[in-house]
Amino acid sequence: TPLESSPALSTDPATDPATDPATDPATDPANRPRGRAFRALLLACLALALATRWPQLSSRWLELDGDEAVHGLMAERLRVGRDTTLFFMGQRYGLSIVEVALSAAGCAFFGVQAWAMKAGMLGLWLIGAGFLLAAARRVGGLGAAVLAGVLLVLCPGWALWSLKARG
């Protein structure tokens, strides 16, 4: 039938335009998050994020709220090898084991301290920011990635939220 012989519905990789490396956006070097300019952008966002959050991390008034304290208890239980849950303590939703594992690693290296837990959360936030920048570059180019990076790192709401152990 004419519909089965349509190149748009072809399953043969040799004739399928979706798998042709010359037309596939995923293989186009301009769309890949690589290159010196993108690496420089990632490093600049990392440096800017650390510089703008350092005053809070190094403050003597840095304290944990109630949720972060429970999160810290979960991290300590994981660090010493006691049982823990995938979800925030007392809940059956809100997967928090990734955050807890990062906090437990921070506490294992630096001791049980508020800034060690919050630094782990900042690390997780920075990984997410890197993925956002890669997506922005893929969709809109390097200019879109620069704009997304500046807005994300300098947004006052993210300054606090990027350090929050939420569970």
Side-chain angles (χ1 to χ4, degrees):
T1 67
L3 188 57
E4 291 173 346
S5 64
S6 169
L9 299 176
S10 172
T11 57
D12 180 18
T15 60
D16 187 3
T19 60
D20 181 15
T23 61
D24 186 9
T27 60
D28 183 6
N31 290 331
R32 281 191 236 147
R34 302 186 201 280
R36 290 183 191 172
F38 187 73
R39 283 192 298 269
L41 172 64
L42 286 176
L43 288 174
C45 283
L46 172 70
L48 190 58
L50 292 175
T52 56
R53 285 144 179 89
W54 183 252
Q56 184 179 357
L57 278 174
S58 63
S59 171
R60 63 181 177 175
W61 294 289
L62 181 67
E63 295 179 357
L64 301 177
D65 64 20
D67 284 345
E68 290 175 314
V70 171
H71 181 95
L73 290 172
M74 292 174 64
E76 181 62 12
R77 292 173 69 102
L78 183 64
R79 187 183 72 81
V80 298
R82 294 187 57 201
D83 62 327
T84 190
T85 64
L86 293 176
F87 305 110
F88 197 67
M89 256 185 204
Q91 298 177 355
R92 294 182 183 199
Y93 60 91
L95 184 71
S96 65
I97 191 67
V98 175
E99 293 176 344
V100 168
L102 284 171
S103 293
C107 291
F109 284 112
F110 304 111
V112 181
Q113 301 179 40
W115 71 266
M117 278 185 48
K118 290 186 176 275
M121 296 305 93
L122 179 59
L124 183 61
W125 186 83
L126 288 170
I127 290 169
F131 281 117
L132 175 77
L133 296 180
R137 178 165 187 240
R138 184 176 186 121
V139 171
L142 188 60
V146 168
L147 181 62
V150 168
L151 291 176
L152 183 70
V153 171
L154 296 180
C155 177
W158 283 117
L160 296 175
W161 197 251
S162 64
L163 299 172
K164 189 102 172 110
R166 319 177 254 302

